[in-house]
Amino acid sequence: MKVLIIMGSESDKPVMEESQKHLQYFGIENEMIVASAHRNPDKVRELCITAQEKGFGVIIAAAGMAAALPGVVSAYTSLPVLGVPLDGGLPGGVDALYSIVQMPAGLPVGTLAVGKAGARNAAILAARILALGNKDIAAKVESFKQNGYRI
């Protein structure tokens, strides 16, 4: 299974490359795409409704400010959605954090920390999810743990 990384803006790429780097460490194929819930809603919808048939098992969605992207992604898929709030609005990215963590019942988004730590943890959590059905990923997760949670 692969992981789809969706971010709202090209400027989010330096942060979300942390997710990509960690997914590569775990041997997890991934694809990173810029698609804004506000500027490209049709693209986001298409990515989400076709993700599972394209072999994706988890979606990481990152956004700042109003941070609608992770919630919109959750509305269009049954896959686990991991939300990464990004800095850019209120100090510390609290606006994005609140937007992602305060999802209505029935539309879950696993919300991580703001910024690079959240991007890394989203990849690690995705690896743990996929490890449930993949012994190779499970072995890498255990190795990561034994190495003091460092790649």
Side-chain angles (χ1 to χ4, degrees):
M1 292 223 150
K2 305 182 289 186
V3 172
L4 177 60
I5 302 168
I6 305 175
M7 58 195 151
S9 171
E10 189 71 31
S11 64
D12 302 335
K13 206 173 240 182
V15 173
M16 296 317 296
E17 285 172 342
E18 292 293 319
S19 283
Q20 210 166 34
K21 180 170 72 173
H22 279 71
L23 290 169
Q24 289 165 349
Y25 167 82
F26 290 112
I28 299 170
E29 189 179 338
N30 62 86
E31 189 173 336
M32 185 183 293
I33 297 174
V34 175
S36 166
H38 300 108
R39 293 183 291 272
N40 318 103
D42 292 337
K43 181 177 181 181
V44 171
R45 179 184 177 279
E46 184 64 23
L47 287 166
C48 295
I49 63 173
T50 62
Q52 198 164 7
E53 69 189 46
K54 291 179 179 175
F56 293 102
V58 176
I59 299 175
I60 297 173
M65 299 172 70
L69 182 62
V72 169
V73 168
S74 184
Y76 283 123
T77 188
S78 297
L79 295 173
V81 177
L82 306 177
V84 179
L86 301 173
D87 219 342
L90 295 176
V94 298
D95 49 349
L97 175 63
Y98 289 153
S99 293
I100 296 172
V101 80
Q102 288 294 100
M103 290 299 298
L107 288 169
V109 174
T111 308
L112 288 299
V114 176
K116 286 186 177 185
R120 290 179 195 124
N121 279 341
I124 296 161
L125 186 53
R128 288 180 172 191
I129 291 167
L130 296 178
L132 294 171
N134 184 307
K135 291 179 185 178
D136 293 336
I137 296 172
K140 276 289 208 180
V141 167
E142 188 57 35
S143 174
F144 176 75
K145 181 180 170 188
Q146 296 304 317
N147 195 43
Y149 303 98
R150 293 185 309 270
I151 59 173

